[in-house]
């Protein structure tokens, strides 16, 4: 189910947006300030954000910068009464995908929302590996468990990639070490692999998926 997060302090406009965008396969989350939005995003990453620039507890553009630190690709549509060229350019340069000035037509907003959702869905699905509740996009470095983002180091990403792309096959420790540590190091402590495996299991809660094959290596088990 698609999830749209609306961050708008004008209650009547917020409610109008919720009604206009609601559909059978879409969940609308309504927030009236940045703190509420932060709490919501910490629980679940939406498929699209509609963000007012002028909010009672901060500036929407500053919040947009925070969003982009941990998710570079989620579509964000800005709403604002500021319609000068410099305001529009500033919003887009901060990472917004679209920019709508008040007042606006709800039908036009709805069309733009649908366009952004289609684009994002195509871009992510093309390169995403979905396994049960896991979602891994290695090109865009987006990793989620049940739509909740997970931060992985570059080493953890390399290890995860070789395991999931070869799921069902046991990967030898020597193969994993050669693949992950490709900086021509003369010696790599094998304990480094064990430590990385443990961190990856813990971060992904993947104890039932990443198994140790004693004396050989590791495997991402097919369910």
């Amino acid at each position: 189910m698609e999830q749209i997060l609306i961050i708008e302090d004008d209650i009547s406009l917020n409610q109008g947006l919720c009604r206009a965008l609601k559909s059978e396969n879409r969940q609308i989350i309504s927030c009236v300030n940045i703190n509420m939005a932060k709490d919501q995003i910490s629980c679940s990453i939406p498929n699209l954000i509609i963000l007012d620039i002028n909010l009672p507890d901060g500036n929407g553009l500053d919040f947009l910068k925070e969003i982009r630190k941990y998710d570079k690709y989620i579509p964000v549509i800005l709403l604002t009464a500021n319609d000068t060229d410099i305001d529009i350019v500033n919003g887009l340069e901060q990472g917004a995908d679209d920019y709508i000035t008040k007042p606006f037509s709800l039908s036009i907003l709805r069309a733009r929302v649908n366009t952004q959702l289609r684009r994002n869905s195509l871009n992510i699905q093309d390169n995403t590996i979905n396994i049960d509740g896991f979602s891994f996009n290695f090109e865009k470095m987006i990793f989620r468990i049940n739509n909740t983002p997970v931060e992985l180091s570059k080493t953890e990403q390399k290890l995860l990639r070789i395991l999931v792309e070869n799921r069902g096959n046991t990967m030898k420790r020597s193969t994993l070490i050669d693949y992950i540590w490709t900086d021509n190091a003369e010696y790599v402590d094998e304990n480094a692999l064990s430590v990385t495996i443990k961190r990856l299991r813990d971060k992904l809660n993947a104890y039932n998926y990443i198994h140790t094959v004693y004396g050989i290596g590791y495997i991402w088990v097919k369910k």
Side-chain angles (χ1 to χ4, degrees), residues 133-200:
F134 299 104
S135 176
F136 306 136
N137 189 307
F138 294 97
E139 280 69 33
K140 295 185 176 181
M141 295 184 290
I142 298 175
F143 308 98
R144 293 173 177 165
I145 307 173
N146 297 321
N147 211 33
T148 300
V150 179
E151 293 287 339
L152 299 179
S153 70
K154 291 295 179 66
T155 301
E156 291 161 356
Q157 290 177 36
K158 282 186 175 183
L159 176 57
L160 176 63
R161 184 166 196 162
I162 192 172
L163 289 175
V164 298
E165 289 184 350
N166 294 278
R167 52 193 179 276
N169 299 312
T170 299
M171 304 304 296
K172 294 181 179 180
R173 290 182 63 89
S174 58
T175 300
L176 293 172
I177 290 171
D178 289 343
Y179 175 79
I180 297 168
W181 286 276
T182 55
D183 55 358
N184 297 318
E186 293 184 3
Y187 173 77
V188 176
D189 186 348
E190 286 202 7
N191 187 54
L193 177 59
S194 301
V195 170
T196 306
I197 284 283
K198 183 181 186 307
R199 286 204 308 263
L200 192 60

Side-chain angles (χ1 to χ4, degrees), residues 3 6 24 27 32 35 38 51 53 57 65 83 86 92 94 103 124 136 152 178 183-184 210 221-223:
Q3 185 183 93
I6 297 172
E24 183 178 350
Q27 180 184 22
V32 296
N35 283 332
K38 287 181 177 179
L51 174 61
I53 287 183
D57 57 347
K65 292 179 185 177
D83 60 356
I86 191 169
L92 295 174
Q94 296 295 341
I124 290 179
F136 306 136
L152 299 179
D178 289 343
D183 55 358
N184 297 318
I210 302 174
V221 177
K222 280 189 174 181
K223 296 292 185 177

Side-chain angles (χ1 to χ4, degrees), residues 4-5 9 12 43 60 63 74 90 93 106 110 133 140 143 172 178 196 214:
I4 296 177
L5 176 62
D9 64 319
S12 60
C43 297
F63 184 46
I74 180 173
N90 191 30
E93 287 184 344
L106 288 176
R110 188 161 47 237
K140 295 185 176 181
F143 308 98
K172 294 181 179 180
D178 289 343
T196 306
Y214 292 99

